[in-house]
Amino acid sequence: MTTQKALIPLPAPIARIATATGAAVALAGTFLPWTWTSEFPGDLTVTGYPGGLQILTLTAAILTLLFTLCGYGIRGLRWLTPGGTNSPVRLLALATLGTTGYTIGAIAYELGGVVNLEPGAWVSGIGALIAFLAALGLPSDEPLPADGPPANAWQRFRNSLAAPSVGRAKPLPGWGEILIITAAFAVALYVFTYCIDIPTEESEQFIGFLITAGFTFTALTRAGIIARITALTTKHRNVTLIAALVAAFCFPFTQDTAEFTLIGANILIFATVALGLNVVVGLAGLLDLGYVAFLGVGAYTAALVSGAPLSAIGVQFPFWAAVLTGAAVSLIFGVLIGAPTLRLRGDYLAIVTLGFGEIFRVTVNNLNGNSGPDLTNGSQGIPSIPDLNLFGIDFGLSHDIGPFTLSRPANYYLLLLVVTAVVVLVFRRSGDSRIGRAWVAIREDETAATAMGINAFRLKLLAFALGATLAGLAGTVQSHVSYTVTPEQYQFAGPVPPNSAFLLAAVILGGMGTLSGPFIGAALLYLIPAKLQFMQDYQLLLFGIALILLMRFRPEGLIADRRKQLEFHENDEPVLVPEPRQPEEADAGITKAGA
């Protein structure tokens, strides 16, 4: 193995100093005006107070400076870079340049030319460019084989962004590990809140956020921080679940408007249903393309028994009874659909489940009193579903808790959080059980699992029924949140999630078989269409392109389990990275091969 030279012939110490200088210049430019008019979203006209997209450039520049300092082997910062220092610096410098360049281009495009740029934009742009070019002069963290043909420019660039696998970290005390987990979820809550609070009309700021967040996440992955935090959360699973629930519980208390809280509630519905689908697809390996129909079964059942004025049944169950009824009806449908079809495999099973989803939508559309019995009010749906009243609390009214005011969406968000906790508990317990291990065996090789004595049909039916029950459970709350249920809400693919295609994509994007993956996938797939409404006509095109890129560069998903990582990266050579002792060793990119 040989250490690859830098893309730009520049001594490593000089490249590191130039990178830090460029990042500092880009940081300083955010405190100067970037344009003269406040017509551009975010008000970039104030001196000494960054706003809008300036904050994103400021954040990326600070991270670039921090990781550049890590390259000097400072003892307190070594924990941040177990996978190497130079690759994260390059990616963060690229994030700074990308966000700043996009902002400059957006200002010039929307305001009519570069004449609308103030000196601060040029200062940050030049600083970001210097930082990125200097970062290309840093040695690569990833060595190249000594034999074989010389790498071309593209291969050298890709290799310069790669990082070796993470070596064994120094053990931390238990309280320190718990503190790191808590800090990680606090940062995640802040980033999520910042993303949701971006106004819908300020799409420029949201695109800038995606650029910064995407490169920053990749940089943290290359640095090995994500792997270390994942190892800590795996070690302290109960602490992680408690921290996640506390962070999610705090979200509605950070919101001042009901609009953004409603987005959070809808994301929670989407994520909960995606986690239920993860039982079917991620654990058991059953490709279900009509899963949203079970959500519709639970929603329609709750609407019919919750006292809606246009309900054909005309009864009003208490909420706990409506929840049990919706989950039970979804369970029955899951068994009725799964029993005759789960003897099929692969594409054939996918086609059957797709047909079931379309049959459900067409059926509830025809139960209007003309084409069929008057049960669902046809295409008009069942509107005016009354708000819940639990323990004397009217969920349709705002409530004051100390200095905080919880709006109607916040009330339902907290209720959905309880439902999500139940679904998480069921998923975790079933995945760790003997049945969960049997599901994984069926997913990997059904023939081999059957030969080992596993009753594949019975266990697949159990997974199908459990997934349907969890979807029906979420559907009972969704019907009250949205006030009405209509057939158009439960399509295979549509402009607004949840639908079957987006639910499946959320599972694949986040990571099949994982607990946190569907939540991340659902949040991304719901937020992006909600914030970038001007791209609604091209939504499916962009959705397809994103899936192609995902399958090409990260087929295991954003949060992949160990088995998927081994499956998709079985040919990768493991590399053990020691802690750098001297700055010269860190700059030279010294690595050590190991098993």
Side-chain angles (χ1 to χ4, degrees):
M1 303 292 288
T2 60
T3 302
Q4 180 186 352
K5 296 181 180 179
L7 289 174
I8 295 179
L10 194 66
I14 296 178
R16 196 170 299 280
I17 293 174
T19 302
T21 303
V25 171
L27 187 154
T30 60
F31 291 90
L32 299 174
W34 283 20
T35 184
W36 61 273
T37 175
S38 59
E39 293 181 3
F40 188 82
D43 194 5
L44 311 183
T45 64
V46 182
T47 301
Y49 190 82
L53 286 162
Q54 289 175 319
I55 296 177
L56 299 175
T57 296
L58 174 66
T59 303
I62 291 175
L63 291 175
T64 305
L65 274 174
L66 177 63
F67 278 83
T68 302
L69 293 176
C70 292
Y72 288 101
I74 299 176
R75 183 175 300 274
L77 299 178
R78 289 180 182 177
W79 195 91
L80 292 176
T81 55
T85 59
N86 299 328
S87 299
V89 170
R90 269 186 286 272
L91 286 163
L92 290 170
L94 185 57
T96 308
L97 179 62
T99 305
T100 307
Y102 167 75
T103 306
I104 292 175
I107 292 174
Y109 175 78
E110 293 193 11
L111 300 182
V114 295
V115 69
N116 295 283
L117 295 172
E118 290 292 308
W122 296 111
V123 170
S124 291
I126 293 173
L129 182 60
I130 293 174
F132 176 67
L133 293 178
L136 295 180
L138 296 173
S140 174
D141 291 322
E142 178 72 16
L144 285 177
D147 53 349
N152 56 37
W154 171 245
Q155 291 172 336
R156 294 200 309 272
F157 179 72
R158 287 189 59 188
N159 192 71
S160 71
L161 297 182
S165 57
V166 180
R168 180 175 298 177
K170 294 181 179 179
L172 296 174
W175 63 266
E177 295 177 342
I178 294 176
L179 184 62
I180 291 174
I181 294 174
T182 304
F185 278 100
V187 172
L189 174 62
Y190 176 80
V191 173
F192 180 73
T193 302
Y194 177 86
C195 178
I196 279 191
D197 289 347
I198 296 176
T200 305
E201 61 273 9
E202 296 184 4
S203 57
E204 298 86 357
Q205 186 174 348
F206 185 76
I207 294 176
F209 171 81
L210 293 180
I211 295 173
T212 305
F215 283 113
T216 301
F217 177 80
T218 308
L220 296 180
T221 303
R222 297 299 191 191
I225 297 178
I226 302 299
R228 282 196 169 177
I229 293 178
T230 302
L232 293 181
T233 55
T234 303
K235 180 180 178 181
H236 303 279
R237 298 182 66 180
N238 292 330
V239 173
T240 301
L241 288 177
I242 293 174
L245 288 175
V246 170
F249 177 81
C250 293
F251 167 74
F253 296 95
T254 65
Q255 302 301 305
D256 296 329
T257 61
E259 176 188 359
F260 298 140
T261 310
L262 181 59
I263 294 178
N266 287 326
I267 289 176
L268 206 54
I269 294 174
F270 191 10
T272 304
V273 180
L275 187 60
L277 178 61
N278 203 19
V279 175
V280 181
V281 177
L283 294 182
L286 306 175
L287 185 55
D288 189 349
L289 299 182
Y291 187 75
V292 75
F294 296 118
L295 176 70
V297 170
Y300 266 97
T301 302
L304 289 171
V305 300
S306 295
L310 296 182
S311 171
I313 297 179
V315 297
Q316 184 170 2
F317 288 179
F319 177 67
W320 64 267
V323 168
L324 294 178
T325 304
V329 174
S330 297
L331 170 63
I332 293 172
F333 270 86
V335 173
L336 292 177
I337 299 302
T341 61
L342 287 179
R343 299 188 186 277
L344 301 174
R345 297 186 186 181
D347 298 339
Y348 301 101
L349 177 62
I351 293 173
V352 171
T353 55
L354 174 62
F356 164 66
E358 290 301 303
I359 289 172
F360 168 79
R361 183 179 61 82
V362 173
T363 300
V364 296
N365 194 41
N366 289 335
L367 296 180
N368 54 7
N370 296 322
S371 303
D374 186 8
L375 183 63
T376 63
N377 202 26
S379 60
Q380 301 299 320
I382 303 177
S384 303
I385 299 174
D387 284 308
L388 297 176
N389 194 311
L390 296 177
F391 308 109
I393 301 175
D394 189 344
F395 277 56
L397 302 176
S398 298
H399 300 89
D400 293 330
I401 300 180
F404 304 100
T405 299
L406 294 181
S407 60
R408 177 185 181 274
N411 298 330
Y412 281 105
Y413 175 90
L414 295 177
L415 177 61
L416 281 165
L417 193 59
V418 176
V419 176
T420 303
V422 173
V423 176
V424 167
L425 179 63
V426 171
F427 179 86
R428 180 185 173 188
R429 298 295 294 176
S430 59
D432 293 338
S433 67
R434 183 177 61 181
I435 294 176
R437 292 192 293 271
W439 283 339
V440 173
I442 294 172
R443 182 192 69 191
E444 297 300 323
D445 193 331
E446 184 175 343
T447 302
T450 304
M452 296 300 295
I454 295 177
N455 190 332
F457 173 75
R458 182 170 62 86
L459 289 174
K460 287 195 298 183
L461 183 60
L462 179 61
F464 207 75
L466 178 60
T469 304
L470 296 179
L473 186 67
T476 57
V477 183
Q478 189 230 9
S479 63
H480 292 276
V481 174
S482 59
Y483 276 126
T484 182
V485 290
T486 59
E488 287 72 20
Q489 294 176 339
Y490 310 105
Q491 303 179 35
F492 168 72
V496 179
N499 52 64
S500 293
F502 275 73
L503 287 171
L504 183 61
V507 174
I508 297 174
L509 173 64
M512 291 192 299
T514 62
L515 180 60
S516 58
F519 288 92
I520 296 177
L524 289 175
L525 290 179
Y526 191 93
L527 274 175
I528 292 175
K531 297 295 184 179
L532 302 180
Q533 295 184 358
F534 69 95
M535 291 185 177
Q536 187 171 4
D537 294 338
Y538 307 99
Q539 179 177 331
L540 293 179
L541 173 64
L542 298 175
F543 174 63
I545 294 175
L547 285 182
I548 293 174
L549 295 176
L550 176 69
M551 293 297 100
R552 171 60 182 86
F553 295 104
R554 196 172 178 85
E556 70 272 22
L558 297 178
I559 307 295
D561 61 3
R562 182 63 177 167
R563 185 177 286 103
K564 288 296 182 183
Q565 287 180 327
L566 294 175
E567 177 182 349
F568 289 107
H569 302 283
E570 58 183 357
N571 296 324
D572 293 354
E573 181 179 358
V575 180
L576 182 63
V577 180
E579 293 285 347
R581 296 183 178 180
Q582 300 294 334
E584 294 79 12
E585 293 179 347
D587 285 332
I590 295 178
T591 58
K592 180 179 180 182

